[in-house]
Amino acid sequence: MASSRHPVSGRAVALVQKQRLQTFAFSVRWSDGSDTFVRRSWDEFRRLQKTLKDTFPVEAGLLRRSDRILPKFPDAPLLARGGRMGRGLARLGLLDTYVQALLGTAERVLRSLALSSFFEPQPLDLEPALPPGSLVILPAPKEPLPRPTDHLAIHSLEAQRLRCLQPFRTQDMQGRPFLAEAQESLDVLLRHPSGWWLVENEDLQTAWFPAPYLEEVVLGQGKAGLTLGTSGAQFCALRAYEGSHDDELSVPAGARVRVLETSDRGWWLCRYDGKAGLLPAVLLQPEGLSALLSGTGILGEDKAEATMTPPAVPARPPLSAIQSRCCTITRRALGKIPGPLGPP
């Protein structure tokens, strides 16, 4: 039985660890163009492999080995540097290779209900927050860029380059002046939920910078370009919704939408897939894991550069709040940097 939409690609983004329980976070792209974040355990992936072998015995090579197109499920590493966390990151890498190979197989496998059901967001994936005590561990880049040995070695999944909306002055990690001009590009190294992000300029200065002052420009959309703005809170759709009027949006379950305007009438103005429209408020809730791992947002309006009022600057978080959200590796990296660690 085929599903109405099916996954077309996926990549591992983080290891989520809570006491002895480890789950593996994946970003999944669907055939309808939507993206979702899901968390699955090692055993759940292993059960998926068994289900696929039962459903597709020919593709699994059970009848003839030469017909095999399903990838083999990787063996769990028994030993790895870094203890349990190291084993978890090793498993994350193995699952990343497995998922990419799996989603590169035949169309009939991709469209199967077994595969679509596995990657569809479950209620736990849509929770507005991770369970208390959860630790989100990001894998190290596979090919890190060469940097000076005394440089802050903190990276997100990808160092994303964003553009500064208006001039803003602060201090870098060594307490020196840090001035970002309008339209200047900055690399985002670390995102903090407080709204202050760790950025790096072309002079290799690192500083805590207010996220509302940053936007992403989509190339190829003219000189002004469409922007991925940070205005409006990002929410997640608890279940699929099919709009019945021209002013409503249609979204799949797990879709990430930007709320532009709220109302006490139960319908909120949202933006999804480059379109603005109404959605029932009861279907939306704040994002959990995906808010930490995703980009700045979805397509927004063109912004006027000359008359734009300065974005609101979020309150500066204390150093303890920043460190409490960082993994051990990041905290150690911050501890090696002389001068102010948190936003000045």
Side-chain angles (χ1 to χ4, degrees):
M1 180 179 179
S3 176
S4 57
R5 67 169 187 165
H6 61 276
V8 295
S9 65
R11 63 184 180 93
V13 293
L15 167 67
V16 181
Q17 186 169 290
K18 183 178 184 297
Q19 296 178 350
R20 301 192 63 83
L21 176 63
Q22 290 183 333
T23 54
F24 306 91
F26 276 78
S27 174
V28 181
R29 169 62 60 91
W30 293 83
S31 56
D32 60 2
S34 61
D35 295 278
T36 57
F37 281 95
V38 297
R39 288 189 295 126
R40 301 290 182 266
S41 68
W42 181 266
D43 288 339
E44 286 175 316
F45 274 102
R46 189 160 49 191
R47 287 195 293 270
L48 169 67
Q49 178 74 357
K50 184 178 185 304
T51 301
L52 292 176
K53 289 174 65 176
D54 293 341
T55 307
F56 301 100
V58 175
E59 290 80 357
L62 299 182
L63 303 181
R64 253 192 336 194
R65 187 172 299 179
S66 59
D67 293 335
R68 183 186 186 97
I69 59 174
L70 285 179
K72 293 184 178 180
F73 190 74
D75 295 327
L78 299 178
L79 298 174
R81 295 181 60 183
R84 186 160 54 90
M85 183 184 300
R87 290 193 296 272
L89 289 173
R91 288 187 174 191
L92 182 67
L94 292 174
L95 289 176
D96 186 33
T97 302
Y98 169 75
V99 168
Q100 292 188 34
L102 180 61
L103 297 182
T105 54
E107 190 77 7
R108 57 185 176 276
V109 177
L110 297 182
R111 293 181 175 273
S112 67
L113 183 61
L115 197 62
S116 297
S117 299
F118 179 82
F119 285 110
E120 279 286 357
Q122 303 300 318
L124 287 178
D125 300 319
L126 303 177
E127 287 294 328
L130 293 173
S134 297
L135 181 63
V136 179
I137 306 157
L138 307 184
K142 295 181 180 179
E143 296 181 359
L145 297 176
R147 297 184 183 273
T149 55
D150 59 347
H151 185 78
L152 179 64
I154 299 177
H155 301 270
S156 60
L157 300 174
E158 297 175 352
Q160 184 181 20
R161 175 155 292 192
L162 302 182
R163 185 178 66 179
C164 186
L165 285 169
Q166 292 203 10
F168 188 83
R169 184 184 297 273
T170 183
Q171 291 183 343
D172 68 4
M173 300 292 285
Q174 280 74 36
R176 299 172 301 181
F178 185 98
L179 174 62
E181 300 289 351
Q183 309 304 312
E184 180 179 349
S185 295
L186 299 173
D187 288 332
V188 178
L189 304 181
L190 185 67
R191 301 173 186 271
H192 188 265
S194 66
W196 284 85
W197 293 354
L198 191 63
V199 302
E200 180 183 75
N201 61 15
E202 292 184 354
D203 296 328
L204 300 183
Q205 282 183 284
T206 55
W208 292 100
F209 204 84
Y213 274 73
L214 300 172
E215 67 175 2
E216 181 180 354
V217 177
V218 179
L219 301 179
Q221 300 291 341
K223 184 174 180 180
L226 293 175
T227 61
L228 289 166
T230 56
S231 60
Q234 190 153 294
F235 280 67
C236 185
L238 289 172
R239 58 181 183 272
Y241 179 78
E242 188 71 27
S244 56
H245 297 85
D246 293 339
D247 60 348
E248 297 179 13
L249 291 175
S250 296
V251 297
R256 304 196 298 275
V257 304
R258 183 72 60 176
V259 175
L260 305 178
E261 184 179 330
T262 61
S263 170
D264 56 4
R265 297 182 179 180
W267 290 84
W268 290 0
L269 180 63
C270 304
R271 183 173 293 278
Y272 173 74
D273 195 23
K275 302 176 183 177
L278 298 174
L279 283 175
V282 295
L283 297 181
L284 305 175
Q285 67 178 11
E287 285 194 302
L289 178 65
S290 54
L292 298 175
L293 301 178
S294 64
T296 55
I298 56 180
L299 288 174
E301 303 284 348
D302 289 341
K303 298 181 182 293
E305 297 176 359
T307 60
M308 184 189 301
T309 57
V313 178
R316 300 177 186 270
L319 176 59
S320 58
I322 295 173
Q323 291 180 330
S324 66
R325 294 286 185 138
C326 298
C327 67
T328 303
I329 297 175
T330 303
R331 286 198 296 268
R332 288 175 180 172
L334 289 172
K336 295 179 181 178
I337 303 301
L341 300 183

